[in-house]
Amino acid sequence: MIPYTKQWIQDSDIQQVCQTLGADFLTTGPQVERFEASLCKLTGAGHAVACSSGTTALHLACMALGISSDDIGLTSPNSFLASANCIELCGGKADFVDIDPDTLCMDTRALAQYCSNHPLPRVVIPVDFAGTPADLPAIQNLARKYGFSVIEDAAHAIGSVYTHGGRTFQCGSCAHTDLAVFSFHPAKTITCGEGGAVMTNDDHLADILRSLRNHGMVRPGNLTPAGKDTDLHGPWYYEMHTLSSNFRITDFQCALGNSQLRHIEQFRDLRQRIVRTYNRAFKDDGRLILPPKALAENACPHLYPIRFNRGSRVRKRVYQGLLDQGISCQVHYIPIYLQPYYQKKYAYTQGKCPEAEIYYASTLSLPLFAALTRDQVNHVITTVKSLV
Ligand SMILES: Cc1ncc(COP(=O)(O)O)c(C=O)c1O
């Protein structure tokens, strides 16, 4: 069976994890700090706060911004549930802005329109779908105009870059956003098993994130006057200033993440090569629509979403046919607002974001991962062509 995605764990990764298992710290130790420093080095962001998943990274980011019951948060419907649920988990209301069919990311014109005729959002969470960077500079311009914060959901996009004003920026650099998040689930380009990180250039937000990651406890320098009573208290003393939970990641997960990060250039090249091979094979077939152009250029591709001109019936047939031939694939994504939770709570209905719905009806993500062999890629190509 060819999976649609798979991690690539090498001997060097296993060695790093085993060494950490024998070390003094299994959690909250030096590997976490090393991983955070590596993420900062890769992206150019000032701070990385590693945590237990991409989902908890989004939750922490919304908590750090103080999202609460009066707040509206906007995201792309073409994403995993977590991009919207983080707003709801903080008590806010998740709403959705349609996608641009060329990039499959949030349509910035639709965002501008939303801001001009709805109550303003507190936060906007653009998603770098499949590894294609969302238009972060345009979203930053709107953020300045309308006063909202921006969290880049870069769960798909570690290693992707975009250019603006003649300069190149890494996804997750926070050059045009307040915060960014990564996921290190095994389906992603690099993995910790489970894991995530919040990136920021804001020292204050970074302090809040570190505290929220660990039950809202504060550092010794930030104690209340009562906490400074040295007769009663001592070095053991801790204070909790905000309600939070345990969002921590272990040292052995970060050891894996660190080791995987060393391969990111190689993983990016291999993924791009597969995308280019698929593109060459499918580009002249009028029945197929290729993924966004950026995927083969400046992205570190996470998914290869192909679309079928003749829609959902063909998609279903190809999906089943591939499975019968030992090829697994997936569909990314069902528009989030069509989930019963959202429909019931906000009466969101079919037709809310037409482009996301048109896209969902015809898309299929073909296998894409660094260890996919040339023969496997060719098998996928010939099978898709024969089925379509
Ligand atoms: C766009 C997006 N955001 C967030 C997440 C959540 O990441 P995790 O699975 O690490 O919790 C995912 C996971 O698939 C995702 O695809």
Side-chain angles (χ1 to χ4, degrees):
M1 190 75 171
I2 302 176
Y4 97 89
T5 184
K6 190 167 189 259
Q7 69 278 7
W8 189 359
I9 303 295
Q10 301 175 47
D11 286 350
S12 53
D13 296 319
I14 294 169
Q15 257 173 23
Q16 292 298 318
V17 174
C18 289
Q19 255 176 31
T20 306
L21 287 172
D24 287 340
F25 292 93
L26 286 190
T27 191
T28 322
Q31 290 294 338
V32 179
E33 284 177 21
R34 208 165 293 160
F35 187 45
E36 292 176 341
S38 304
L39 290 170
C40 289
K41 189 163 170 224
L42 173 76
T43 59
H47 303 275
V49 179
C51 58
S52 53
S53 68
T55 302
T56 55
L58 281 163
H59 192 178
L60 279 173
C62 284
M63 284 170 81
L65 291 174
I67 302 302
S68 67
S69 58
D70 294 329
D71 296 324
I72 293 169
L74 301 179
T75 190
S76 165
N78 183 32
S79 187
F80 184 59
L81 307 169
S83 310
N85 291 356
C86 54
I87 302 159
E88 295 281 317
L89 284 166
C90 289
K93 173 181 179 176
D95 205 349
F96 299 86
V97 172
D98 209 351
I99 57 168
D100 177 336
D102 291 334
T103 64
L104 308 177
C105 297
M106 185 181 280
D107 181 344
T108 51
R109 284 157 307 184
L111 175 60
Q113 207 166 19
Y114 185 104
C115 291
S116 67
N117 58 22
H118 288 77
L120 287 176
R122 259 291 310 281
V123 64
V124 173
I125 307 179
V127 179
D128 302 322
F129 177 71
T132 299
D135 190 349
L136 303 175
I139 293 171
Q140 185 187 49
N141 282 339
L142 292 170
R144 287 185 176 140
K145 183 169 175 188
Y146 292 108
F148 55 76
S149 301
V150 182
I151 303 169
E152 175 191 10
D153 184 341
H156 295 185
I158 193 161
S160 288
V161 297
Y162 60 97
T163 52
H164 180 66
R167 287 183 58 198
T168 299
F169 300 94
Q170 287 275 339
C171 285
S173 65
C174 301
H176 301 95
T177 66
D178 300 281
L179 298 146
V181 306
F182 290 128
S183 159
F184 306 116
H185 180 272
K188 304 301 191 297
T189 298
I190 71 147
T191 187
C192 296
E194 293 276 3
V198 191
M199 314 298 294
T200 186
N201 288 315
D202 184 318
D203 299 346
H204 181 57
L205 280 177
D207 277 348
I208 298 174
L209 287 162
R210 290 195 183 100
S211 165
L212 290 172
R213 171 174 63 181
N214 197 17
H215 303 276
M217 291 196 287
V218 297
R219 288 165 185 270
N222 296 330
L223 298 178
T224 57
K228 289 175 184 149
D229 176 354
T230 48
D231 287 342
L232 179 62
H233 305 312
W236 61 84
Y237 184 75
Y238 54 83
E239 272 183 3
M240 168 198 140
H241 289 191
T242 320
L243 182 65
S244 192
S245 188
N246 175 356
F247 292 86
R248 298 185 305 259
I249 186 168
T250 66
D251 268 52
F252 47 96
Q253 286 171 299
C254 288
L256 178 57
N258 256 321
S259 180
Q260 289 260 298
L261 265 183
R262 293 197 193 111
H263 306 297
I264 192 155
E265 288 297 319
Q266 182 199 12
F267 288 173
R268 182 174 187 262
D269 289 348
L270 289 167
R271 283 171 172 271
Q272 279 198 337
R273 200 174 300 170
I274 296 165
V275 166
R276 285 197 295 268
T277 306
Y278 279 148
N279 279 355
R280 269 197 308 277
F282 297 135
K283 73 177 175 4
D284 296 324
D285 192 323
R287 298 164 301 183
L288 300 171
I289 303 169
L290 297 187
K293 254 175 62 193
L295 215 55
E297 293 166 4
N298 47 9
C300 178
H302 164 52
L303 302 170
Y304 189 87
I306 194 146
R307 275 169 283 173
F308 301 98
N309 255 341
R310 280 177 293 142
S312 61
R313 293 235 311 272
V314 179
R315 188 258 304 272
K316 197 173 221 172
R317 201 173 66 224
V318 175
Y319 176 91
Q320 192 52 52
L322 285 168
L323 213 53
D324 294 344
Q325 299 285 326
I327 300 166
S328 170
C329 37
Q330 261 295 354
V331 171
H332 301 91
Y333 285 100
I334 306 158
I336 299 174
Y337 59 84
L338 292 178
Q339 293 298 334
Y341 168 86
Y342 285 104
Q343 290 197 318
K344 201 163 150 207
K345 187 166 180 190
Y346 300 119
Y348 293 152
T349 53
Q350 200 92 31
K352 180 174 170 61
C353 295
E355 293 296 348
E357 290 176 22
I358 292 168
Y359 165 75
Y360 164 61
S362 66
T363 190
L364 190 65
S365 300
L366 300 182
L368 176 63
F369 52 95
L372 195 63
T373 66
R374 195 172 294 203
D375 284 349
Q376 287 174 320
V377 173
N378 289 336
H379 180 45
V380 175
I381 291 168
T382 45
T383 315
V384 168
K385 284 191 163 181
S386 71
L387 289 165
V388 81

